[in-house]
Amino acid sequence: MTHNLSQCQFLIQKAAAAGAKALFLPEASDYIAPSASETVSLVQPTSTSPFVLGLQKSARKYGLPVNVGIHEPTINGQKVKNTLVWIDEHGALKHRYQKLHLFDVDIPGGPTLKESNSVEKGTEIVPPFPTIVGNVGMLICFDVRNLPPHLSHRMGDCGANIKLIKETQLRFPEPSLALRRQGAHIITYPSAFTVPTGIAHWTALLRARAIETQSYVIAAAQVGQHNEKRTSYGHSMIVSPWGDIVAELGGEKKEEPEIAVAEIDLGKLEKIRREMPLVRRTDVYPEV
């Protein structure tokens, strides 16, 4: 966890130097444990977590908002919450989202991952909130369709998309459509995609979510090997409301963590929405 904090603090400094207005870090940036029991044993409340407190200090020091995926304890202590939090430029933890869709999968010839063994699923979509870069709606990994947790104490590369001016929810379009209806300009998908699913679906899912919601999609992704059983795909990216990839990192672990920088153009977003209106037939099918 100390190593991960050091990497993320380095990225905060790097993002601030690049002129970013916000920094988006991956899912489970604090740690990825090799077993369900260790995942639970390592978790700490945000009020005492050295990782969260360290990020709050750096956010305050550089005046930079940070969106970061972490673990938090559950009430009964039997599992953890996979959450995404927004730390503002003053270092205050202002918003929190708990991952809805958990990654339970057995990939032939690949890893068997059972996130539900150690993670409690969320129960609500958190409304978008205003930030310096636009209204942000938070989802996590498999929410883009559904993505796995990181399974190592050390992050691969803490590759992070920044300057919004940045796997599970990705496979499920409903939450992103709901966030768009509630006013989101930006939808986040911090992730730790497996390599096989990343090669097949990562880019297609992110572009689909951006196009169908006419929103910027920011997906900060873990990259590289966590342990002998688990490697994350990487390829952090920012996608425009038109579906263009406006910034992307690679899929190889580098000596030091990287950032990708892109400008969020809300004027372009509004133009796309105005000229290509998506009028849903809620008289025929339910509103999401």
Side-chain angles (χ1 to χ4, degrees):
M1 221 178 301
T2 301
H3 171 78
N4 291 2
L5 173 60
S6 176
Q7 283 197 315
C8 291
Q9 288 180 317
F10 172 79
L11 286 172
I12 292 173
Q13 181 180 1
K14 193 170 185 178
K21 303 299 183 185
L23 173 66
F24 294 77
L25 297 171
E27 175 187 22
S29 289
D30 49 357
Y31 65 88
I32 298 175
S35 68
S37 61
E38 196 163 0
T39 295
V40 175
S41 69
L42 288 170
V43 72
Q44 298 183 53
T46 56
S47 59
T48 59
S49 166
F51 180 83
V52 175
L53 294 173
L55 291 187
Q56 289 179 292
K57 180 179 179 180
S58 291
R60 185 165 54 248
K61 176 180 178 180
Y62 292 99
L64 187 71
V66 177
N67 192 224
V68 59
I70 61 172
H71 298 87
E72 296 187 68
T74 56
I75 293 175
N76 63 19
Q78 299 301 305
K79 294 185 178 184
V80 302
K81 299 176 183 178
N82 183 338
T83 61
L84 182 61
V85 298
W86 182 271
I87 300 171
D88 72 11
E89 65 275 20
H90 305 295
L93 201 160
K94 303 295 287 187
H95 303 279
R96 174 186 281 103
Y97 162 76
Q98 184 177 349
K99 188 176 182 180
L100 291 175
H101 301 95
L102 303 183
F103 190 67
D104 289 352
V105 67
D106 184 358
I107 301 174
T112 297
L113 300 171
K114 190 82 171 175
E115 189 174 14
S116 61
N117 283 345
S118 60
V119 178
E120 175 188 273
K121 62 185 177 182
T123 59
E124 64 176 343
I125 296 172
V126 177
F129 52 91
T131 74
I132 191 172
V133 296
N135 297 336
V136 172
M138 298 192 293
L139 295 172
I140 299 174
C141 193
F142 201 56
D143 288 332
V144 74
R145 78 158 177 208
N146 257 10
L147 306 193
H150 315 310
L151 300 179
S152 160
H153 291 304
R154 299 170 66 88
M155 290 195 298
D157 229 354
C158 188
N161 293 329
I162 67 167
K163 187 160 177 127
L164 258 85
I165 354 280
K166 113 175 162 171
E167 136 179 52
T168 83
Q169 315 314 336
L170 258 178
R171 290 190 186 271
F172 302 97
E174 294 88 350
S176 61
L177 292 171
L179 288 171
R180 159 64 200 276
R181 180 177 57 80
Q182 295 176 61
H185 301 130
I186 299 156
I187 299 173
T188 69
Y189 288 106
S191 298
F193 249 71
T194 65
V195 173
T197 56
I199 292 172
H201 300 146
W202 175 246
T203 300
L205 287 167
L206 292 171
R207 294 189 68 203
R209 296 298 85 84
I211 293 167
E212 68 197 5
T213 64
Q214 297 176 316
S215 302
Y216 281 94
V217 163
I218 298 177
Q222 298 261 8
V223 63
Q225 187 172 9
H226 303 298
N227 56 40
E228 67 280 359
K229 296 180 179 179
R230 177 74 168 92
T231 301
S232 286
Y233 180 63
H235 293 275
S236 296
M237 67 175 64
I238 303 172
V239 185
S240 80
W242 194 246
D244 298 319
I245 298 171
V246 294
E248 181 179 9
L249 298 178
E252 300 294 329
K253 181 178 178 180
K254 301 294 180 64
E255 195 163 319
E256 67 176 39
E258 300 177 288
I259 56 173
V261 181
E263 183 175 359
I264 297 302
D265 186 343
L266 296 183
K268 177 180 179 180
L269 178 148
E270 295 300 339
K271 183 174 186 290
I272 289 171
R273 292 181 177 183
R274 183 174 61 253
E275 296 181 355
M276 183 74 72
L278 301 181
V279 181
R280 303 200 176 275
R281 288 292 306 278
T282 53
D283 59 322
V284 177
Y285 50 79
E287 182 176 61
V288 177

